Amino acid sequence: MSTNMPIALPQGFSAHVTNLGIKDSSDDLVIISAASPIAASGVFTKSRFAGPSVLISRDHLTNGSAQAFVIISKNANVANGSQGVDDAHEVVGLVARHVDCDPTDVLIASTGVIGRPYPMEQIRGGFERIGTGAGGATLADVARGMMTTDTVPKIAAATIAGSTALVTGAAKGVGMIEPDMATMIATVLTDADMPADRLDDIFRRVVDRTFNCVSVDSDTSTSDTAVLLASGAAGIVDELAFEDALEQVCRSLTKQIAADGEGAETLIEVRVDGARDHGQAKRVAKSIVNSPLVKTAVHGADPNWGRVAMAIGKCSDDTDIDEQRVVIRFGDRELFPRQVGERELAELSDYLKGDEVLIHVSLNIGAGESTVWGCDLTDGYVRINADYTT
């Protein structure tokens, strides 16, 4: 489904998006809700500095259901002690009153600067202004309300084969991205009817193949949250078809996040096959996509395949990786072990100037494979993060 057209939310959902004045005049509050508790799944950061939003949502999801999901952007509410916990619970209570549900049926996510308390006076005043009732926000509105340093909203949608049911998703995130669970903030909605336990199993599998395969700067956020809500309004669907549509949406969001990495100019896709297993393939791929030397080589359109070889070699615990078996390619052009002439290197430099670059490595050990996504490292990334709080 094209994301160039306005995308409505799946049946059974409504959304309210507005500005509370947390940082500036841009939208900073998103509330997604259903008429009653529905099946839900969430995957969260493993950070030891996880914020109250993560801790509360984990707890509220233990029964596999939720009725509302609130996202506050421009403030992460992390490392604020008991005040941060109390403030997060108060926000949950405000949302519960807005939606008319139990506070334990509300999930919460926060994103932005760490170590600054919520401006609760603005938040309370904002909720008084919006009152109660459903909102008519579109998926793009939701994505814009989640943004911090993102340059574009990130949305995706797919129809589940054999049905009229939809899967839609919105995400934010361009920095502090090397998830150990899912991704920065992602909200995925479907009107398919799926039992909570199956929803959770499928979502976790898809997360591992998509959101867990993106990296911008090798730093794990304190607030990473990915939530999937299923209203059931479109009826029962085939599980395999549902998983396929869900993966389409999550993979699209993953690639959009990587392409919009802070200061990024090039999307890097790293594909590793012929590994002992999926785990080894993913380790090697992440080593490559996280290498500052690989990232800067791509940025400079320098076909220095030796940096890829270096990144593979860093996986020193994988003693079955044998240099004599490894094949390294940029695009479909083999660079190692065959010899590459100056003319080919010049052509590869032109290839690296494109918007997307594929680095393809074959280990020739077994049948394991993995694909991960990242971006080049530019002076823009340094400028954005040097001045992030000032």
Side-chain angles (χ1 to χ4, degrees), residues 41-351:
S41 174
V43 190
F44 304 94
T45 184
K46 294 180 180 178
S47 170
R48 299 305 301 167
F49 260 75
S53 296
V54 168
L55 302 180
I56 291 170
S57 293
R58 279 179 182 156
D59 180 54
H60 287 187
L61 271 174
T62 53
N63 64 353
S65 72
Q67 187 171 341
F69 182 29
V70 59
I71 303 159
I72 289 183
S73 62
K74 285 52 167 208
N75 185 310
N77 186 32
V78 170
N80 290 315
S82 59
Q83 178 185 348
V85 176
D86 292 343
D87 289 346
H89 277 293
E90 182 176 350
V91 170
V92 165
L94 291 169
V95 174
R97 194 175 311 134
H98 172 80
V99 174
D100 190 20
C101 71
D102 192 283
T104 59
D105 288 323
V106 177
L107 308 180
I108 180 172
S110 305
T111 177
V113 177
I114 292 170
R116 293 183 179 174
Y118 280 153
M120 291 306 298
E121 288 303 317
Q122 283 110 308
I123 291 175
R124 294 183 191 110
F127 271 88
E128 289 179 4
R129 290 193 301 273
I130 65 176
T132 60
T138 66
L139 191 66
D141 296 330
V142 169
R144 280 190 291 271
M146 296 161 62
M147 291 168 60
T148 50
T149 57
D150 304 64
T151 65
V152 293
K154 301 164 181 65
I155 60 175
T159 302
I160 300 172
S163 74
T164 60
L166 296 175
V167 178
T168 68
K172 65 80 54 183
V174 289
M176 200 182 286
I177 297 178
E178 165 59 66
D180 195 16
M181 55 99 244
T183 190
M184 298 36 62
I185 305 292
T187 176
V188 184
L189 309 174
T190 182
D191 46 18
D193 185 359
M194 189 70 58
D197 58 341
R198 299 301 304 135
L199 191 79
D200 188 64
D201 288 344
I202 293 169
F203 191 42
R204 289 178 184 278
R205 284 202 301 268
V206 170
V207 160
D208 191 56
R209 298 193 296 262
T210 56
F211 294 145
N212 260 352
C213 292
V214 62
S215 178
V216 168
D217 48 20
S218 78
D219 286 331
T220 296
S221 170
T222 59
S223 306
D224 295 340
T225 298
V227 165
L228 171 60
L229 302 173
S231 72
I236 297 172
V237 299
D238 178 78
E239 276 197 13
L240 292 178
F242 171 71
E243 185 164 348
D244 180 67
L246 180 63
E247 185 156 355
Q248 288 180 48
V249 168
C250 294
R251 183 184 294 113
S252 175
L253 294 175
T254 297
K255 295 178 72 172
Q256 290 177 59
I257 288 167
D260 194 32
E262 289 175 338
E265 297 177 3
T266 306
L267 171 67
I268 303 174
E269 179 175 305
V270 179
R271 186 181 308 155
V272 174
D273 56 26
R276 178 192 340 119
D277 51 31
H278 170 73
Q280 182 183 57
K282 188 173 179 180
R283 263 192 313 280
V284 173
K286 280 290 191 76
S287 181
I288 295 167
V289 82
N290 281 332
S291 166
L293 292 178
V294 172
K295 289 172 172 289
T296 50
V298 171
H299 178 62
D302 178 10
N304 187 348
W305 59 266
R307 294 183 174 181
V308 176
M310 173 278 300
I312 299 169
K314 285 197 301 183
C315 300
S316 55
D317 290 338
D318 290 279
T319 56
D320 51 349
I321 295 178
D322 184 350
E323 171 190 331
Q324 303 301 319
R325 299 178 182 176
V326 174
V327 178
I328 299 172
R329 309 173 189 84
F330 283 179
D332 59 1
R333 187 74 60 90
E334 183 179 318
L335 300 170
F336 176 83
R338 65 181 292 269
Q339 298 296 313
V340 181
E342 292 301 318
R343 176 178 294 182
E344 284 184 282
L345 289 176
E347 292 173 353
L348 281 169
S349 182
D350 289 337
Y351 170 70

